[in-house]
């Protein structure tokens, strides 16, 4: 059995967190400070997507 790619798993986790964030009210976001965290999560999602894209391009047999 193939071991799951930790980057893909992390990317799925981050996207789930962002999905939950987007369902919050403005009041909930302001009360929890999620606005600042959202920026960091978006950055990490972008970085992981770029790394996975590069890996797929360099090693298409692994995809």
């Amino acid at each position: 059995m193939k071991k799951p790619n930790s980057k893909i798993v992390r990317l799925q986790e981050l996207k789930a967190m962002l999905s939950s964030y987007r369902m919050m009210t403005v009041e909930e976001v302001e009360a929890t400070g999620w606005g600042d965290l959202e920026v960091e999560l978006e950055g990490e999602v972008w970085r992981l997507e770029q790394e996975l894209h590069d890996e797929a391009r360099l090693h298409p047999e692994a995809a």
Side-chain angles (χ1 to χ4, degrees):
M1 188 168 150
K2 189 175 177 182
K3 180 182 173 192
N5 185 326
S6 61
K7 290 179 184 177
I8 293 173
V9 172
R10 179 64 177 152
L11 187 57
Q12 291 169 339
E13 291 172 347
L14 292 170
K15 286 183 176 186
M17 291 170 69
L18 287 169
S19 178
S20 294
Y21 160 76
R22 291 182 179 119
M23 295 174 65
M24 293 175 132
T25 65
V26 172
E27 292 80 16
E28 290 172 325
V29 170
E30 289 175 349
T32 60
W34 254 90
D36 296 332
L37 182 58
E38 188 263 347
V39 173
E40 293 177 30
L41 295 178
E42 289 284 357
E44 190 172 351
V45 165
W46 183 87
R47 182 185 59 78
L48 286 170
E49 286 176 338
Q50 295 303 308
E51 288 179 13
L52 288 167
H53 174 75
D54 290 345
E55 288 174 10
R57 189 173 45 83
L58 294 173
H59 307 287
E61 69 283 352

